[in-house]
Amino acid sequence: MPEAPPEDRLAGIDPAFITDFRASDDPDDAQRWSTWRSVEPLCRGPEPRPEWVVTSQAALDTELGILKTGKEADAFLLERAVPGSDAVGESVVLVAKRYRSSDHRTFHRAATYTEGRSVKRSRDERALKRNSTWGRQVAAGEWAISEWDALKRCWLLGLPVPYPVQIDGTELLMEWITVETDHGTDTAPRLAQTRPEPRLLASYFEQLREALAAMVADGLVHGDLSPYNVLAAGERLVIIDLPQVVDLVGNVNGMDFLLRDCTNMCTWFRARGLEVDEHALFGDLLAHAF
């Protein structure tokens, strides 16, 4: 006797007991299972972790689209969520920053930033010096690791940076810095895109000065700071793009990078009407270094 069609077999059953079943090993094309559990513990963000970090093995990572393209990496929005749940700790949107590898051509700046850094394997160090295909892959990984280490260090210092969620190869997942608008939640604008009123402008500069002072006190220099590498998240500033962070003393260019960071930022603030001086800021920061 032929088997009855599904709709006939379900007839008379309470709808509350009927589910739309999908195999748990079959995510959609734009999805993958969360990689949180597949990376080593040291590749996960520092503790105590924010309550919004999703650690469930049942979570899916869903691509939401590109956020920004850059010279060394592209940033995407990625939702990590347990299907059907929007509870805290089970659903969050993250930034996935992915560094380009073997076909990348813009790592020529690396030498000045990596002065004083060490590469774990001599084979990798030789490949980097030859700029071979493998060397460019190693370079991409080194930039990702450098930003990961810098974000962790700055976060633990209490600095205004995105929380680093995890690193997996050349992919770095981090907190999505947002603002609320009339249209809902959106990415916080870069400082360069804002026109803050005088009170907020002065507050922004003081926040920046305090953050740079804390970095310098710990021997760190951003190295590529500009109004395009700072987000204006409402009343607060958040510093981003940290792969090129250098050691103030260990890198022979450390002082030059610090002065350049001061110049870039003071130039922007002056253009908005705040009377600040890069040399005064530089001197103030150095007072925290020694």
Side-chain angles (χ1 to χ4, degrees):
M1 182 175 179
E3 186 176 354
E7 57 271 19
D8 291 345
R9 295 200 304 272
L10 295 177
I13 298 178
D14 188 331
F17 294 96
I18 301 175
T19 61
D20 183 14
F21 175 78
R22 187 183 72 176
S24 62
D25 58 351
D26 187 27
D28 294 337
D29 291 341
Q31 294 179 317
R32 69 186 185 195
W33 289 110
S34 168
T35 55
W36 175 263
R37 295 290 179 181
S38 64
V39 300
E40 297 179 3
L42 291 178
C43 293
R44 300 173 193 151
E47 297 182 348
R49 298 186 181 106
E51 62 179 356
W52 51 260
V53 175
V54 178
T55 62
S56 172
Q57 289 181 282
L60 285 170
D61 290 347
T62 304
E63 294 278 345
L64 301 180
I66 193 161
L67 181 64
K68 175 182 176 292
T69 59
K71 295 178 180 179
E72 284 105 17
D74 295 325
F76 300 80
L77 286 182
L78 179 145
E79 181 187 47
R80 173 165 288 178
V82 176
S85 175
D86 58 0
V88 174
E90 292 194 336
S91 178
V92 69
V93 176
L94 304 170
V95 171
K97 188 172 184 178
R98 294 163 186 161
Y99 282 84
R100 302 194 189 98
S101 53
S102 58
D103 60 347
H104 198 273
R105 299 194 302 270
T106 64
F107 285 114
H108 59 276
R109 298 185 303 150
T112 55
Y113 289 111
T114 57
E115 179 75 31
R117 294 184 192 172
S118 61
V119 179
K120 292 182 179 180
R121 298 192 301 179
S122 59
R123 171 177 176 255
D124 293 344
E125 188 170 7
R126 292 193 300 271
L128 281 168
K129 290 179 179 178
R130 292 197 305 269
N131 195 34
S132 64
T133 298
W134 175 250
R136 291 192 293 274
Q137 291 176 332
V138 171
E142 287 296 313
W143 281 97
I145 292 170
S146 176
E147 180 156 28
W148 169 252
D149 289 341
L151 281 171
K152 287 195 302 179
R153 187 170 169 181
C154 290
W155 175 266
L156 290 172
L157 287 171
L159 293 172
V161 298
Y163 176 77
V165 175
Q166 70 173 71
I167 185 172
D168 186 7
T170 57
E171 180 186 74
L172 179 61
L173 298 185
M174 68 186 82
E175 179 185 3
W176 180 35
I177 306 299
T178 63
V179 291
E180 295 300 321
T181 70
D182 294 339
H183 307 289
T185 301
D186 201 357
T187 303
R190 294 173 186 272
L191 184 61
Q193 299 170 319
T194 68
R195 296 293 184 271
E197 48 84 21
R199 180 200 60 82
L200 185 56
L201 186 70
S203 173
Y204 279 167
F205 184 79
E206 183 60 22
Q207 290 179 52
L208 179 73
R209 188 196 64 77
E210 290 179 357
L212 294 181
M215 290 183 70
V216 168
D218 205 57
L220 297 177
V221 179
H222 186 284
D224 194 29
L225 192 62
S226 79
Y228 293 94
N229 288 338
V230 179
L231 300 181
E235 295 278 321
R236 70 186 184 107
L237 293 185
V238 179
I239 298 173
I240 61 170
D241 292 339
L242 297 155
Q244 69 293 312
V245 161
V246 299
D247 188 291
L248 178 62
V249 177
N251 188 303
V252 296
N253 303 295
M255 294 292 184
D256 293 336
F257 284 134
L258 180 59
L259 179 57
R260 188 176 70 181
D261 287 352
C262 293
T263 301
N264 288 341
M265 298 309 300
C266 285
T267 298
W268 185 86
F269 277 96
R270 275 200 305 273
R272 300 297 176 272
L274 189 65
E275 290 301 317
V276 292
D277 179 77
E278 55 266 31
H279 297 288
L281 176 60
F282 180 72
D284 181 37
L285 297 178
L286 287 186
H288 291 79
F290 305 104

